[in-house]
Amino acid sequence: MIASKIAGMLKEKDNIAIVSHVMADGDSIGSMLALYNALKKMNKNVSALTGDKLPKVYSFLPGFQDIRNCDSLRDKNYDLLIVLDCGSLDRIGLCSSIKAGMIINIDHHITNSNFGDLNLVDAKASSTGEIVYQIIKLMGVDISKDEAVCLYTAILTDTGCFKYSNTTLATHQIAGDLITYGFDFGKIHDMVYSNYEYDCLKLLGKALSSLQLYEGGRIALMELLYDDFKGINLEDISTSEFIDYARDIGTVEEAAFIKETSLGEFKVSFRSKRIVDVRAICEKYGGGGHIRAAGCTITGDLKYVRDTVINEMKKALKDEMV
Ligand code: 5GP
Ligand code: MN
């Protein structure tokens, strides 16, 4: 079994780098730090790396201060490069310069391109955190509160507090087991979800006022454009939950959030409730993700991007209705 093989490699090798994806989220940071803390306890020479800025909201996670920018480790040669929560290798951004004897790909995106020398891709897992939990167990390391906090946060954030359709019995069982390690899970919820920056709410206000409905209210579109970010310190702000407001409108099946990340470049997040496969839309534009949550980047002028997104959503809805 591939998970046991990976656990064996982690036990055997000494120089190990772990990377998360760009625009890191709770799952990528949480699963990276859980594995980092577990390997540290085994006295491994392990680095937790990023090629990007990290959202400060996760700074409470044990090991967060140890995460280093991969730029500083360009010349180092690792035995293993563990890539977490990335559907494709380009998701690690600047960390692609890291040299390693072997790449191990651990992920839960159905679109995963199996880019590793070893690939553990479980699209049924709610989060990469769930898979890393299994691997740590297979390594035979005693999970401590530190790893438990990281894994719980990974699972919590990728399931939207255990409410998205990716949440399973196994998800709850793993979360329940993690809670037995004795951390205050209510406090984690507060630190992640009741910890807004004022600027974040101002930005949310702008996103909400952009909301438009189509197809009799079954499609929702939300936008944040370059000018909306003026005067706002983006470093501490995560906008990844904004799209939930669009999706959670009662009549909506399919929602998109267009965010202008630099002039003429738009990150588009898609969500669906029950019917539409939004991953299929994103794959057409070089992105990916899950059936009910996916993303891609589209370049061009705003009108082109907006028309493309609306037309793709309308088409996907029609195709599914047939
Ligand atoms: P979000 O919309 O929150 O950025 O992402 C939703 C899901 O789609 C996440 O699981 C994320 O990893 C995936 N995703 C978002 N953007 C991209 C992308 O550009 N490429 C790929 N392969 N996956 C993406
Ligand atoms: Mn994930």
Side-chain angles (χ1 to χ4, degrees):
M1 180 182 145
I2 195 82
S4 314
K5 197 165 174 187
I6 291 173
M9 301 281 301
L10 287 166
K11 274 163 77 175
E12 181 194 319
K13 303 287 184 186
D14 191 42
N15 287 307
I16 302 167
I18 316 171
V19 293
S20 63
H21 55 74
V22 290
M23 294 191 213
D25 58 7
D27 186 29
S28 62
I29 303 176
S31 46
M32 173 168 74
L33 289 178
L35 193 56
Y36 170 80
N37 288 320
L39 291 168
K40 230 170 162 119
K41 274 201 315 213
M42 296 165 78
N43 295 317
K44 301 281 178 184
N45 187 355
V46 55
S47 308
L49 301 174
T50 178
D52 206 4
K53 288 206 173 92
L54 294 170
K56 281 206 186 114
V57 64
Y58 299 112
S59 59
F60 69 90
L61 292 174
F64 186 89
Q65 311 308 332
D66 295 350
I67 301 175
R68 296 172 63 186
N69 194 290
C70 39
D71 235 10
S72 61
L73 294 158
R74 244 171 227 284
D75 299 325
K76 208 169 143 64
N77 213 325
Y78 289 93
D79 299 329
L80 297 179
L81 176 64
I82 315 291
V83 181
L84 295 175
D85 203 37
C86 294
S88 50
L89 197 54
D90 60 324
R91 298 277 292 153
I92 66 176
L94 296 174
C95 285
S96 55
S97 61
I98 296 289
K99 295 188 228 24
M102 186 181 221
I103 294 180
I104 297 184
N105 164 22
I106 301 173
D107 185 36
H108 68 129
H109 293 95
I110 199 165
T111 50
N112 194 289
S113 60
N114 287 325
F115 54 82
D117 298 301
L118 279 178
N119 301 288
L120 175 52
V121 180
D122 179 2
K124 289 202 181 74
S126 70
S127 49
T128 299
E130 256 189 48
I131 310 172
V132 169
Y133 167 88
Q134 310 287 1
I135 289 175
I136 295 177
K137 288 261 165 180
L138 286 167
M139 288 192 319
V141 196
D142 285 332
I143 290 184
S144 72
K145 202 159 129 181
D146 282 356
E147 292 87 70
V149 165
C150 294
L151 290 174
Y152 184 87
T153 304
I155 296 168
L156 178 78
T157 52
D158 250 30
T159 58
C161 295
F162 306 101
K163 75 169 188 238
Y164 296 158
S165 58
N166 59 357
T167 309
T168 63
L169 173 63
T171 312
H172 283 290
Q173 282 169 332
I174 293 170
D177 180 48
L178 292 170
I179 288 169
T180 64
Y181 294 93
F183 58 87
D184 183 346
F185 59 88
K187 207 164 150 193
I188 294 184
H189 290 225
D190 283 352
M191 279 187 293
V192 176
Y193 295 106
S194 306
N195 200 7
Y196 283 120
E197 294 283 333
Y198 176 59
D199 275 357
C200 182
L201 284 191
K202 283 203 294 194
L203 213 50
L204 174 62
K206 288 182 186 171
L208 290 176
S209 62
S210 77
L211 260 174
Q212 300 279 344
L213 296 180
Y214 301 87
E215 301 293 289
R218 304 210 68 206
I219 288 175
L221 181 68
M222 185 187 249
E223 294 174 354
L224 276 179
L225 304 180
Y226 208 68
D227 277 352
D228 294 326
F229 297 106
K230 273 195 185 135
I232 284 178
N233 178 11
L234 271 180
E235 215 162 281
D236 295 340
I237 290 179
S238 161
T239 56
S240 60
E241 309 288 321
F242 288 10
I243 191 172
D244 292 0
Y245 291 93
R247 183 207 49 207
D248 289 345
I249 295 169
T251 55
V252 166
E253 161 58 24
E254 202 184 0
F257 173 28
I258 298 176
K259 189 167 111 177
E260 191 170 15
T261 42
S262 57
L263 277 172
E265 189 178 279
F266 299 84
K267 171 83 217 292
V268 192
S269 291
F270 289 87
R271 299 290 185 270
S272 65
K273 269 200 194 116
R274 279 173 289 270
I275 306 167
V276 172
D277 178 358
V278 287
R279 168 213 53 170
I281 300 177
C282 294
E283 276 195 314
K284 279 196 193 168
Y285 298 91
H290 311 285
I291 290 170
R292 304 272 174 257
C296 59
T297 297
I298 307 180
T299 46
D301 63 39
L302 175 62
K303 187 180 175 330
Y304 163 76
V305 176
R306 196 185 270 152
D307 289 350
T308 302
V309 168
I310 295 167
N311 289 335
E312 288 291 357
M313 285 203 289
K314 284 184 178 171
K315 190 172 170 319
L317 195 61
K318 272 202 193 87
D319 289 349
E320 295 292 346
M321 303 303 284
V322 176

